Amino acid sequence: MAEILTSSDADLRRAGALLRAGELVAVPTETVYGLAANAFRDDSVRRIFEAKARPFIDPLIVHVHSLEQAGTLADVSHPFVKKLADAFWPGPLTLVLPKKSCVPDAVTAGEPTVAVRMPAHPLMRKILRAADVPLAAPSANPFGYVSPTTARHVQDSLGTRIAWIVDGGPCVCGVESTIVFVADEPRLLRPGVITREQLEAVLGVPVTAGKGHMEKLAEAGTPRAQLAPGMLKKHYSPRAVVRLFDFGGNPPDVSSAAGTAAAVFQSRETAEKFRAAGEGTPRVFWLSETGELADVARAVFSLLRELDAAGFAEIFIEKSPDFGVGVAVNDRLSRAAAK
Ligand code: TXA
Ligand code: MG
């Protein structure tokens, strides 16, 4: 199994030195855990794809410790970059920018752009300073499986494929960063904790939905085998079958599935009401005490993993209301539920 590194300065310096030297280390961020490598080393970046069984056509996010460091990788001259960085960095926002030639093609899947973010997690910031090279890092899970929000999650699913995991405690956001394609007409490529409304307030222009890189490839007719294992609409998936039901509603009739099914509600109150009303109903769980969306986002991947590990065959989940970070939660849930 992988060795767990702690928050001690000695361990963080060691993580930084290992990364700089080309090794893979799983690292905590405020969103989810990442599997990091020196972004300038083509051989190291390729090992990330191998460890995750991720298709090489799915590009990675590069993490930096400063806007200045971002400028070594990407063209940061668009006026929106400074506006967004001032407002949201360090934090859960990724900017897709024109790349510089020093970025290996393995990072960007040959695209002329590179995705860059400055994370806020204090341990990750120390690791970035210690490494003093930009770190390419996708979520630290096997491709297509539920993203990890604790060091234990990483150990459980990648522990035999990597040698080091830095334990930074549970991630405070719980869903991946918001991704924005920066241009005069900016596009939201992935919803996250930072909402479209927040982006528009800072930029003063509309931010419309754009297609993710893999979605575009699929639409362009890229063979499914290359996109394999089919992770476009489907992603973030536990082994169990996931079925969604509307916010404020009840799961469909699941009496036949009772025992093998779990019903997950947004809040404890609605979960307990459902339990009190039902007979022969499935086991009942909730994502938050009060329905607070930040709590729901923090819990969603963790609960999916727990229910999967507990062996439920079917997981019925109440959707979040469609605002704030609820948009990101619903995005991840609909991918987890896609066939
Ligand atoms: O919160 C996060 O962003 C986490 C932590 C570890 O930082 N990382 C993460 O990475 O979610 P990953 O690989 O699981 O998701 C990266 C997404 C992919 O969907 C990829 O297609 C998109 O970013 N992406 C990367 N580079 C891109 C580019 N040049 N153009 C468009 N999309 C890009
Ligand atoms: Mg991921």
Side-chain angles (χ1 to χ4, degrees), residues 52 54 138-139 141 147 176 190 235-236:
K52 280 181 58 98
R54 177 182 176 114
S139 49
N141 51 301
S147 297
E176 301 83 350
R190 180 174 71 186
H235 213 124
Y236 311 108

Side-chain angles (χ1 to χ4, degrees), residues 95-161:
L95 304 181
V96 175
L97 301 168
K99 77 161 205 147
K100 293 198 168 162
S101 59
C102 58
V103 183
D105 279 343
V107 171
T108 60
E111 287 291 305
T113 52
V114 60
V116 186
R117 106 171 172 92
M118 191 198 302
H121 194 294
L123 301 195
M124 179 58 167
R125 290 175 61 71
K126 286 188 179 173
I127 294 165
L128 278 162
R129 286 281 173 197
D132 206 27
V133 286
L135 299 176
S139 49
N141 51 301
F143 187 66
Y145 193 63
V146 183
S147 297
T149 57
T150 65
R152 163 109 301 223
H153 293 160
V154 182
Q155 185 72 281
D156 286 347
S157 49
L158 288 181
T160 57
R161 298 199 196 174

Side-chain angles (χ1 to χ4, degrees), residues 296-319:
V296 169
R298 199 175 300 127
V300 64
F301 286 146
S302 189
L303 186 61
L304 280 176
R305 278 178 178 258
E306 227 173 86
L307 298 178
D308 219 16
F312 288 103
E314 275 184 296
I315 306 174
F316 294 87
I317 309 184
E318 180 186 16
K319 286 195 236 170

Side-chain angles (χ1 to χ4, degrees), residues 27-35 52 54 57-63 92-97 107-109 111-117 119 124 137-141 143 147 175-179 181 189-190 211-216 235-236 332:
V27 293
T29 83
E30 70 278 25
T31 57
V32 301
Y33 274 71
L35 179 57
K52 280 181 58 98
R54 177 182 176 114
I57 55 176
D58 192 5
L60 305 179
I61 293 174
V62 181
H63 299 69
L93 177 68
T94 296
L95 304 181
V96 175
L97 301 168
V107 171
T108 60
E111 287 291 305
T113 52
V114 60
V116 186
R117 106 171 172 92
M124 179 58 167
S139 49
N141 51 301
F143 187 66
S147 297
V175 294
E176 301 83 350
S177 61
T178 304
I179 304 182
F181 181 87
L189 302 187
R190 180 174 71 186
K211 297 232 157 67
H213 179 76
M214 297 292 271
E215 276 160 294
K216 268 200 205 147
H235 213 124
Y236 311 108
R332 307 309 189 271

